[in-house]
Amino acid sequence: MADDDAPSATPDADGGDGLDYAGRAADALGFSRWWQIVAAAGMMAAVSPYQYVWSSIEQPLAERLDIALPALGAVFSFYVVFQSLSQFPAGKWRDSRGPGALTFLAALLAGGGYIGLAYATSLWQLYLLYSLGAIGVGIVYTVAVNTAVKWFPDRTGLTTGVGTMAFAAGSALVVPYVRANATVAAYGDVLRNIGIGILVVTLVGSFLLRDPPKGWLDRVDDADGDDEGVAASIRGHNYSTREMLSTWQFWLLYAMFIAMASADLIVIANVVRFAENFGLAALIATLSATLLPVAAGVSRLILGEAIDRFSRKRVMAGSFLLAGAFRIGLVGAGEAGNGAVFVAFVLGAMFFSSPLYVYFPSLLADYYGAANSSGNYAVLYTAKVGGGVFAGTVTGYLVATAGWVPTFALGGGLAIAAGVAALLLRPPSGSGLVTDSAAAAE
């Protein structure tokens, strides 16, 4: 198959018209490859509080340490920076040496960081502990996402969705526990217990994960060499990171990632304070913070399956446009003081923006191949730094100078711009995935 949209799944996801992916994985592992996804998803759920519980813990932390809330905005920005930048060296290591030692280190950093928060007594300690924990989260993230890419070239969207769903929805069990103990006195125990859970689950995952052996999808013994039905990430050219950086498609994807990460993280990091700004009931803020990761997680599974079955870029474009529309609607619901509609629009906004963490690794593997997927996606993922700085430090400045309404509306505009840009995407001309006419058009 060669077209300008490069759908990746085979007609029979476990090997009908193309390779027998499931059978070959079972031969290599000795058991179903789905257990690798289970282990990766468990680790993602364990480390998710760093991102999705922050909006619920920042107020008690500020009160306990007598720190102004704007100063804590930088903690979340540091988290995003270190979580993002740690992925490139981790991804390069993983591509060449496997995931075991990396995930063991991640368990110590992520678990120890949260445990340390229980004993922090100053702002610099919060910065340090959250940043060290963020490195652990970054390692877990790149390992988990690329476990799906490496073992499931035929179902990248669905399996990436499972892992990233766990990262979003896993914290839904933690938010009510945190909110129910939202007192200065109780927070030490809350943070310590969450940290122990992160440590234990991630340590178990470090002993379970492994990478496919080289050549496990060698097609020399297949009945024919026909590429029809074979996943794009397998049949196309495997780009090195340097080769990838020389294509315009990568830089368009990078700009889109910054825009969508900004729009996504503005809501995640500020939904509680945004609800309170409009004078909405405390129950509305709690429901929004609790259901937000559920919507984000479910959407990654549903829309991850969609991009395996339909045009990747068209699903992405429609999703981002709707994400922007729901964010603008969220502002209107807050101004109207309608709590029920506010919660509904929070869910809609997150449902259509959160699958960005499914769309981008899947499309990147299609365009640039699976062999170097960890390192290549880690480079693209650094775009989240821009989103994190925007959602933390820049948003704090914009709120102080312009207010909440234009700040959240700007997030909606960024999502809409990314949706329009998605329609311009096509595989690189040297990938082997484009028709002659499409290549000439470039």
Side-chain angles (χ1 to χ4, degrees), residues 22-416:
R24 295 196 179 196
D27 289 342
L29 287 168
F31 49 84
S32 172
R33 58 183 175 160
W34 282 99
W35 286 109
Q36 294 294 292
I37 301 302
V38 171
M43 295 171 61
M44 290 280 264
V47 300
S48 65
Y50 273 92
Q51 180 158 312
Y52 288 94
V53 178
W54 173 251
S55 66
S56 296
I57 68 172
E58 61 174 341
Q59 181 72 49
L61 280 173
E63 291 178 6
R64 188 178 73 178
L65 301 179
D66 193 24
I67 297 171
L69 273 174
L72 285 188
V75 175
F76 192 77
S77 292
F78 275 119
Y79 157 75
V80 176
V81 168
F82 282 96
Q83 190 248 359
S84 302
L85 296 184
S86 64
Q87 292 195 38
F88 180 68
K92 297 295 285 186
W93 175 286
R94 188 267 175 84
D95 280 337
S96 61
R97 305 189 186 187
L102 273 175
T103 48
F104 183 84
L105 173 63
L108 300 180
L109 290 172
Y114 233 90
I115 293 170
L117 291 177
Y119 303 98
T121 58
S122 62
L123 183 60
W124 74 266
Q125 292 174 351
L126 292 183
Y127 288 160
L128 177 63
L129 291 165
Y130 226 77
S131 297
L132 289 174
I135 294 172
V137 176
I139 294 171
V140 168
Y141 197 98
T142 193
V143 166
V145 167
N146 287 285
T147 291
V149 171
K150 290 179 182 296
W151 283 111
F152 285 84
D154 52 324
R155 307 193 74 177
T156 305
L158 174 63
T159 52
T160 303
V162 171
T164 56
M165 176 191 71
F167 186 67
S171 59
L173 299 176
V174 179
V175 169
Y177 168 61
V178 171
R179 298 282 291 174
N181 293 278
T183 65
V184 174
Y187 256 64
D189 289 340
V190 169
L191 296 170
R192 184 169 52 251
N193 291 340
I194 293 174
I196 291 172
I198 293 171
L199 179 65
V200 171
V201 174
T202 313
L203 281 175
V204 171
S206 71
F207 290 105
L208 295 177
L209 288 184
R210 65 188 74 171
D211 277 352
K214 290 184 178 180
W216 76 292
L217 290 179
D218 186 355
R219 285 180 280 154
V220 69
D221 59 342
D222 286 329
D224 58 59
D226 187 7
D227 278 350
E228 183 65 28
V230 176
S233 62
I234 299 300
R235 71 177 188 271
H237 173 61
N238 285 308
Y239 283 71
S240 68
T241 299
R242 179 173 295 181
E243 289 175 321
M244 178 184 72
L245 293 174
S246 69
T247 66
W248 65 263
Q249 287 89 342
F250 172 79
W251 295 107
L252 180 58
L253 286 167
Y254 199 88
M256 291 167 56
F257 202 124
I258 292 175
M260 284 310 304
S262 297
D264 196 60
L265 292 169
I266 286 173
V267 178
I268 292 171
N270 299 288
V271 67
V272 170
R273 285 196 289 158
F274 191 50
E276 292 172 348
N277 171 75
F278 290 115
L280 297 175
L283 176 61
I284 298 301
T286 299
L287 281 175
S288 297
T290 302
L291 296 178
L292 179 153
V294 175
V298 171
S299 70
R300 296 178 191 192
L301 191 62
I302 293 173
L303 295 178
E305 176 71 5
I307 62 169
D308 281 341
R309 295 180 178 273
F310 307 106
S311 162
R312 287 227 202 279
K313 76 176 184 184
R314 289 182 176 86
V315 172
M316 175 190 282
S319 180
F320 291 170
L321 290 171
L322 287 168
F326 272 103
R327 275 164 174 75
I328 293 171
L330 176 62
V331 171
E335 289 188 311
N338 192 319
V341 175
F342 183 90
V343 173
F345 275 87
V346 167
L347 300 185
M350 296 309 300
F351 185 91
F352 289 108
S353 69
S354 284
L356 77 101
Y357 300 107
V358 177
Y359 301 148
F360 284 104
S362 300
L363 201 62
L364 198 76
D366 282 356
Y367 284 8
Y368 300 106
N372 302 308
S373 62
S374 298
N376 286 346
Y377 181 57
V379 174
L380 178 62
Y381 198 86
T382 62
K384 189 180 177 182
V385 173
V389 171
F390 192 96
T393 306
V394 176
T395 293
Y397 172 78
L398 290 175
V399 169
T401 57
W404 282 107
V405 169
T407 301
F408 264 64
L410 176 59
L414 290 171
I416 291 171

